[in-house]
Amino acid sequence: MRDLVQQVEQTIPSAIRGSVISTAGMTAEVAGFPVPVGAQVSIERLSGDPLAGEVIGFRSQVTRIAPFGKMDGIRYGAAVRLTQTHRRLKVGPRLLGRVLDALGECRDGQPAPRLTSRVQPDQIAPDTVDRQPTRRPLSTGIRAIDAFLTCGLGQRLGVFAGAGVGKSLLLGMLVRQAQADVVVVALIGERGREVTDFLERELDPEVRARSVVVVATSDEPAIRRVQAAQTATAIAEHFRDTGKHVLLVMDSLSRFASAQREIGLANGEPPTTRGYPPSVFAQLPRLVERAGCTRRGTITGCYAVLVEGDNLNEPVSDCVRSLLDGHIVLSRELAARGHYPAIDVLASVSRLMPRVATPAQRESASVLRGMLAVLAEYEDLIAIGAYRPGANQRLDSAIRYRDELNQFLRQGLRVCATPRETQEWVTRLTEKYCAGCLHPDVPAEADAITESEM
């Protein structure tokens, strides 16, 4: 009853009013408007419907507002009215199969569902004592991940890649193939064409029936892009609290950080590293910490990170990598060779693999990682023909089975590998590689992975 009363108090429009005294960039400054940060407001325009917005800060007696659209028609002295002290989001099982905007409103042309539950989009992360350790593995159906980067239910994983390296294709494979009860996809700052392509290409009817897609395209205001990330996470939390295993896919966390940078700079924050204000590095952990395992259910977070100039040490990438439980690095060099998914196994890591993988899986992955490391170490010598076979048994065996390993790591977009198939292939490769290290004259066997098995 107390929660219901609180919701009503936060939702009923208020008589508090102010007036616009100036605009700066994509923000409006309002005088005589003592409302809290995060409040939802309505700004009257000279022509057309009122413009909604959100309070992002204040200084002295001036309140700063980030509108949800273009500020055309707003004039000096325009009236501003408080509509809600906090934004509330409508949630429920009928959201499955729907496409939503940043405010949680359906944008797929279908009738709005009847939703009775309300949650706050920017909730705090679960309490430490409520979190549960990750013990169960998550099958993704992607051989390179399941074999070398085994993930767990409730893990937070990052996909780090530059533009055009296949990040969206890999996320699409995860959405279709990962074993999850509910999939929540957040497309933050994407091009409108990519959103349509993703909905038509990646979400077949079966996947669509258990998915919720939240969209904020690149042309929308920064506040809407930030809200879309919060809305998607809140929806995932709702399904988690009903006992579901949820997969939250966000593309991309970098654009969320860029949107928060716009808001922070417009609010008067000082720019720090690469122009990012302090609020960016405060909001990132608040967002990703909301995923994980609780006593009720799990949220497995998969966050795409767009790496500027393929530099993994740029501020956002470096910060996010320290917050997550593992990272998958996509290589532009592999993508240029037509190797998809272009996962750089040696540069990637799953911090929870020692906990969720079996001893046999860990041993096989360690051996084959060693094989890849040997090939990388002597790559230049092999390329120019300076290496003489017989000088290094491990390298000779690695060269013998290199093509088979590459075929294993390559995978068609519509191919889903079961955990059993993946482990059988890894075990077979490990045994042959180790045998070749001890007996360099052992010929390559005829049971290599064929093109049809890819």
Side-chain angles (χ1 to χ4, degrees):
M1 186 64 179
R2 181 179 300 175
D3 293 340
L4 181 59
V5 172
Q6 185 179 13
Q7 289 184 25
V8 171
E9 290 176 348
Q10 293 175 348
T11 304
I12 293 178
S14 169
I16 299 178
R17 291 176 177 269
S19 59
V20 176
I21 59 173
S22 67
T23 60
M26 293 304 295
T27 62
E29 295 185 339
V30 181
F33 199 53
V35 298
V37 174
Q40 307 297 292
V41 304
S42 175
I43 308 174
E44 292 184 359
R45 294 194 278 192
L46 190 61
S47 61
D49 297 330
L51 178 62
E54 181 175 308
V55 176
I56 60 173
F58 55 87
R59 176 172 296 178
S60 298
Q61 298 181 359
V62 175
T63 301
R64 289 193 175 97
I65 296 174
F68 294 164
K70 294 182 179 180
M71 292 195 292
D72 298 347
I74 295 179
R75 61 178 177 81
Y76 176 82
V80 182
R81 181 174 61 89
L82 173 66
T83 57
Q84 293 179 331
T85 55
H86 290 84
R87 187 164 68 95
R88 308 297 294 185
L89 180 67
K90 296 178 289 186
V91 294
R94 293 186 180 181
L95 286 177
L96 295 175
R98 307 306 298 269
V99 179
L100 314 177
D101 64 10
L103 299 179
E105 302 295 333
C106 293
R107 288 294 180 264
D108 50 13
Q110 301 298 320
R114 183 179 179 183
L115 305 169
T116 57
S117 300
R118 302 289 188 275
V119 297
Q120 192 168 325
D122 55 343
Q123 301 181 67
I124 61 173
D127 192 82
T128 304
V129 297
D130 189 43
R131 291 186 180 272
Q132 300 295 300
T134 301
R135 294 191 177 94
R136 294 176 55 187
L138 170 69
S139 174
T140 65
I142 302 173
R143 292 194 292 259
I145 295 178
D146 290 344
F148 295 95
L149 307 165
T150 309
C151 302
L153 287 171
Q155 182 169 351
R156 294 165 301 182
L157 196 66
V159 177
F160 293 75
V165 186
K167 167 173 49 63
S168 297
L169 295 177
L170 179 62
L171 294 179
M173 294 178 70
L174 284 171
V175 168
R176 290 193 307 272
Q177 300 173 179
Q179 294 180 351
D181 300 324
V182 176
V183 179
V184 180
V185 181
L187 301 177
I188 312 298
E190 292 292 330
R191 297 184 292 271
R193 177 192 60 80
E194 287 188 340
V195 172
T196 303
D197 290 347
F198 184 90
L199 295 175
E200 295 180 352
R201 183 185 66 239
E202 308 299 350
L203 298 184
D204 54 44
E206 182 180 355
V207 178
R208 186 76 172 260
R210 58 185 177 92
S211 303
V212 183
V213 181
V214 181
V215 176
T217 52
S218 58
D219 61 325
E220 296 189 42
I223 189 67
R224 296 294 291 268
R225 283 174 268 151
V226 170
Q227 288 175 337
Q230 296 172 342
T231 295
T233 306
I235 293 172
E237 289 171 327
H238 167 74
F239 285 106
R240 177 203 62 195
D241 292 341
T242 62
K244 303 292 186 182
H245 297 300
V246 183
L247 174 65
L248 172 62
V249 176
M250 188 172 295
D251 187 8
S252 70
L253 201 58
S254 300
R255 293 191 175 101
F256 167 82
S258 297
Q260 184 61 44
R261 173 172 61 183
E262 291 182 41
I263 295 172
L265 294 177
N267 200 27
E269 290 187 60
T272 55
T273 309
R274 295 273 184 100
Y276 287 97
S279 63
V280 173
F281 302 102
Q283 290 293 338
L284 284 172
R286 286 187 60 184
L287 184 69
V288 301
E289 281 291 331
R290 293 165 66 179
C293 296
T294 67
R295 302 178 189 276
R296 296 174 293 278
T298 66
I299 298 177
T300 303
C302 185
Y303 302 93
V305 181
L306 186 61
V307 180
E308 296 181 5
D310 293 339
N311 179 18
L312 289 174
N313 295 320
E314 58 97 11
V316 172
S317 299
D318 192 47
C319 175
V320 172
R321 195 165 61 245
S322 68
L323 297 173
L324 301 177
D325 303 318
H327 52 273
I328 299 173
V329 178
L330 302 188
S331 166
R332 188 174 298 277
E333 182 179 354
L334 290 176
R337 298 176 187 172
H339 182 124
Y340 286 100
I343 298 176
D344 187 341
V345 173
L346 294 179
S348 306
V349 66
S350 171
R351 297 178 182 175
L352 297 185
M353 183 175 179
R355 182 181 300 174
V356 299
T358 65
Q361 288 176 320
R362 297 197 299 270
E363 182 178 358
S364 298
S366 178
V367 171
L368 293 183
R369 274 182 177 271
M371 175 180 171
L372 288 170
V374 169
L375 290 170
E377 182 180 356
Y378 290 92
E379 182 178 8
D380 293 339
L381 291 179
I382 297 172
I384 64 176
Y387 173 72
R388 293 184 177 181
N392 187 322
Q393 292 186 9
R394 292 180 61 205
L395 181 57
D396 290 341
S397 183
I399 294 173
R400 183 179 296 117
Y401 299 109
R402 173 176 53 186
D403 291 342
E404 185 172 350
L405 179 56
N406 285 332
Q407 288 182 12
F408 171 77
L409 294 175
R410 288 188 173 102
Q411 187 169 335
L413 295 178
R414 298 289 171 177
V415 176
C416 181
T418 66
R420 181 176 180 180
E421 291 172 342
T422 298
Q423 187 55 36
E424 287 176 351
W425 285 335
V426 168
T427 301
R428 184 167 70 246
L429 283 170
T430 302
E431 291 174 350
K432 291 193 288 186
Y433 169 66
C434 292
C437 292
L438 298 176
H439 306 286
D441 57 341
V442 174
E445 298 183 18
D447 61 345
I449 299 173
T450 62
E451 189 73 20
S452 62
E453 291 177 303
M454 294 173 60

